[in-house]
Amino acid sequence: MSSTNQLEFKGYAMTDPSAWSSLSVVPFEPKALGPEDVEVAVAYCGLCGSDVHMLNQSWGSTRQGPLIVGHEIVGRVTRVGEKVRDLKPGDRVGVGAAVGSCMQCRACNDNYENYCRQITFTINSQWPDGTPVQGGFSTGVRAHERFVFPIPDGVELRHAASMMCGGITVYAPLRENGCGPGKKVGVLGIGGLGHYAILFAKAMGAEVYAFTRGTAKAEDAKKMGADHVVDTTVDGFWKPYDMTLDIIISTVDHFPKNFSLRNLLSMLYVHGKFIVVGLPPADEPMPTLHAFDLTSNAGCFIGGSLLGSKDDMKHMLNLAAEKGVKPWIEELPMNRAKEALEGLKAGKPRYRYVLKQDIAPVD
């Protein structure tokens, strides 16, 4: 087992669900370091909408006891298990929304470990031995090596942080569904996820259509690389784009009342893909759909995507290094997590918050 100085595990935890955004520094006990595990000292952690949903219980009740969120983690390796060969202490790495899986099922064997039925998530989860998993609003995390991703020298740690969830959440379905030169990609919603979808779709060579409510973000979307910006508050906004798009990535976490998916699907070309990555509160279902909406709209397909594999992450980070993809971030010290959490819930960031770990800072 290789190691450097021993980490003292502490983090900013929710201890009272009725005060979901008020976090207190608490010590915690990590899982025992297994032979294929990697220990990471956290330098930065991005803030994702999932963290807010977990803390304010809008996806259901969380587990008992202190809860440390944060699953867009970057830092440096401090220890590795004896079977780890590709990582060593001092390496710059990232950890996303999962830290382990069964490593034995068909999905794991086919490099779809992010879809393993026994996946261990980074927040509000527990290891098979019952140890609570605590997230990246902390000094350190431990994860299986397959969920620890080397960061290329051409990508700054603070920029890589939000790629660990926000970036990969949109990159993986773009890659899976053939985004590239000659393709036309629609991005529904220009928030934290949507801004990444524009950045990566453009870097992959696609023609990008950004769909946003109003015009407040139109200039931002163009600077990110959108070739077209469409105001979805305009009546019939979809009509000029009938059978135009090869892929639509839906990043929104709320659909207005009586919203019609049929209108969105009409913009897809033959066998086009409508991919959902935005997740609303548990009590907000997607708009209704009729079978005719699928058959009569160019035989389109509707699907979803969850995180990405290690192979997806490698390709995304290499693309970011090669093309100079940089997210639009606002960096804050981690002791201002309350401000960031409440700001994200109010829709304030342009376009991701990244928190610098300040309990035991890492270079």
Side-chain angles (χ1 to χ4, degrees), residues 34-90:
E36 297 178 341
D37 290 342
V38 179
E39 181 181 278
V40 180
V42 176
Y44 297 91
C45 187
L47 177 58
C48 177
S50 301
D51 296 313
V52 173
H53 284 300
M54 285 292 182
L55 291 172
N56 70 12
Q57 321 284 295
S58 63
W59 283 352
S61 299
T62 53
R63 64 165 188 250
Q64 297 295 312
L67 176 66
I68 299 172
V69 297
H71 56 277
E72 297 183 332
I73 303 160
V74 293
R76 292 191 179 272
V77 174
T78 50
R79 301 173 69 198
V80 299
E82 60 264 24
K83 291 185 179 181
V84 175
R85 295 290 177 264
D86 296 331
L87 295 168
K88 64 184 185 304

Side-chain angles (χ1 to χ4, degrees), residues 156-206:
E156 293 184 48
L157 283 180
R158 65 194 185 98
H159 290 150
S162 58
M163 293 183 190
M164 294 298 105
C165 181
I168 196 64
T169 292
V170 296
Y171 176 81
L174 287 170
R175 182 187 182 212
E176 180 71 22
N177 291 286
C179 178
K183 298 294 185 179
K184 297 182 178 182
V185 174
V187 177
L188 182 63
I190 314 304
L193 288 177
H195 108 285
Y196 260 127
I198 295 173
L199 292 172
F200 279 123
K202 191 65 177 179
M204 297 167 83

